Amino acid sequence: MSSARSRRATAVVIAALALGLSLAGCKPEPATTSAPAPSASASPSASANPTGSPSPTAQADAGIELPASCEQLYSPEMLAALQGRGPLNDPGVTMTSTQNVAALELLSSGVATIRCSWGVPSDSGMATNVTILSAEQSSALTAALAEAGFGCGDELGGTVCRSAQSMISQDDQIAELTETHVFRGDVWISSYTINFDVPGYTEDVVATLWG
């Protein structure tokens, strides 16, 4: 290996390791038990709601009701576009809708949620959760995301926090990672993508849910 390539490998090793963990969410490895908390195999929502059905807990104080199925999250046009990209809720896709520890802990706490994934186990895919939160939970999570470096601001009738990164994998491939959180009323929409750009996705989900 040349000295220039050695310096490059050293510079990106942390990013490559982080990407390896993220990609494992879309392409599970056999030894998933060794992955840290933010990994896809540790996602409570993925195991609790493998079919995309809402949690059985009631939504008595919800500003909206959780959809009965993932298809109800989208406009007909967006649903058709997504179906052209890959299957809905492939059982092999275990990636979570967030890599943030505070958000993962909240998803594992028994909150009412529905999880929807798109794609097959590979280096590309997306996962979204729509979740009912209390005002206190929303406020605390928004603060945690801002502290973690997300850009947060007023948007889509509520607060939106976004993060986007380009990382280099262990085989020197560039991957685009995005994470988006929408807080509106008592609803939290979280989405995580790996090489899966869908223009207008979040806006479509919000417009469909609130009409």
Side-chain angles (χ1 to χ4, degrees):
M1 178 183 292
S2 68
S3 59
R5 183 171 177 81
S6 297
R7 289 194 299 272
R8 179 169 176 262
T10 301
V12 303
V13 65
I14 295 177
L17 289 173
L19 177 58
L21 292 175
S22 298
L23 293 180
C26 212
K27 188 176 183 179
E29 301 291 351
T32 53
T33 53
S34 64
S39 70
S41 60
S43 168
S45 56
S47 58
N49 298 291
T51 62
S53 300
S55 299
T57 51
Q59 310 137 34
D61 299 324
I64 63 170
E65 291 187 1
L66 288 180
S69 68
C70 289
E71 289 85 351
Q72 295 177 2
L73 287 181
Y74 312 106
S75 68
E77 295 78 12
M78 179 59 70
L79 181 59
L82 291 168
Q83 290 171 333
R85 298 285 298 273
L88 170 63
N89 293 333
D90 184 292
V93 176
T94 59
M95 68 185 295
T96 56
S97 63
T98 177
Q99 295 292 295
N100 180 268
V101 173
L104 286 168
E105 289 177 347
L106 193 51
L107 283 175
S108 71
S109 68
V111 289
T113 192
I114 179 173
R115 174 184 177 274
C116 308
S117 70
W118 291 96
V120 296
S122 66
D123 292 346
S124 175
M126 173 169 60
T128 292
N129 274 69
V130 178
T131 307
I132 303 300
L133 299 182
S134 68
E136 292 76 14
Q137 289 171 321
S138 292
S139 178
L141 183 53
T142 302
L145 292 172
E147 184 176 352
F150 282 73
C152 299
D154 295 338
E155 192 179 345
L156 300 177
T159 299
V160 179
C161 297
R162 302 179 188 271
S163 174
Q165 302 178 66
S166 295
M167 290 189 174
I168 302 177
S169 67
Q170 292 170 335
D171 57 358
D172 286 342
Q173 298 299 309
I174 296 177
E176 302 295 334
L177 315 177
T178 73
E179 187 166 333
T180 305
H181 299 265
V182 179
F183 301 91
R184 178 168 168 173
D186 49 11
V187 177
W188 166 36
I189 304 167
S190 53
S191 296
Y192 185 72
T193 74
I194 303 176
N195 294 328
F196 202 89
D197 180 42
V198 183
Y201 177 85
T202 300
E203 292 80 359
D204 186 86
V205 172
V206 170
T208 302
L209 288 176
W210 276 273

